Amino acid sequence: MKESLSASKKIEIRFSEVDSMNIVWHGSYPLYFEDAREEFGQKYGLGYMTIFSNGYYAPLVEASFKYKKALIYESKPVIVITYIPTESAKIVFDYKIIDETDGSVYATGRTVQVFMDRDYQLVWENPEFYRKWKEKWEVL
């Protein structure tokens, strides 16, 4: 099996994302994870439009976050996303939000996506395009 597939993206914290204590609101983390998934998709060819153009949707069915350190407005965070291989018909990612300056960890997390066809029915087997993607990146 190939080394893990990962991507990273600098996060630009907007003033509207912090509360009165200057701490990033917890509801912003899913958006940061979304940005990381888009970055990963662009880098490895597994973006939302690729999934859609192959006749599928990939909704989130699980999302978890572990907060380690306050993320504040002046922080310089980077989010690292790592693909977690599975034989199942799902897409699993781990996330780590780190401080660009000292490497300390602000938060970690995981998301799980499944496949649905255009009739919104759950797909139990890996779609052909996803199986080929796994073969290409040697993550079967």
Side-chain angles (χ1 to χ4, degrees):
M1 188 180 298
K2 192 174 190 162
E3 287 185 35
S4 62
L5 304 180
S6 64
S8 63
K9 180 175 181 66
K10 288 185 180 185
I11 299 171
E12 296 294 329
I13 298 173
R14 298 180 309 163
F15 182 74
S16 62
E17 295 171 340
V18 299
D19 60 20
S20 60
M21 298 176 288
N22 199 35
I23 296 172
V24 171
W25 177 60
H26 67 275
S28 295
Y29 287 78
L31 300 175
Y32 299 153
F33 284 18
E34 181 77 27
D35 290 344
R37 285 193 302 277
E38 287 183 350
E39 186 73 22
F40 183 93
Q42 288 176 1
K43 183 174 180 180
Y44 293 104
L46 191 62
Y48 289 115
M49 294 312 295
T50 300
I51 295 167
F52 182 76
S53 67
N54 280 280
Y56 298 92
Y57 304 112
L60 281 175
V61 294
E62 291 181 35
S64 63
F65 309 88
K66 291 183 181 173
Y67 307 99
K68 308 288 186 181
K69 175 178 141 178
L71 185 54
I72 60 175
Y73 184 64
E74 295 84 10
S75 301
K76 301 293 182 201
V78 173
I79 187 164
V80 179
I81 181 173
T82 303
Y83 176 81
I84 305 302
T86 176
E87 291 184 22
S88 302
K90 52 176 84 168
I91 305 170
V92 181
F93 289 114
D94 279 348
Y95 305 83
K96 188 182 287 188
I97 300 176
I98 59 174
D99 188 306
E100 176 179 64
T101 57
D102 66 11
S104 61
V105 178
Y106 291 110
T108 61
R110 176 171 278 203
T111 60
V112 178
Q113 294 167 268
V114 296
F115 293 98
M116 290 189 324
D117 63 22
R118 294 282 174 87
D119 292 323
Y120 302 100
Q121 298 301 307
L122 185 63
V123 175
W124 293 96
E125 300 292 325
N126 284 299
E128 181 70 14
F129 85 93
Y130 187 49
R131 187 186 58 72
K132 288 180 179 179
W133 181 87
K134 287 180 172 185
E135 288 175 359
K136 174 184 177 179
W137 294 103
E138 301 175 15
V139 292
L140 281 175

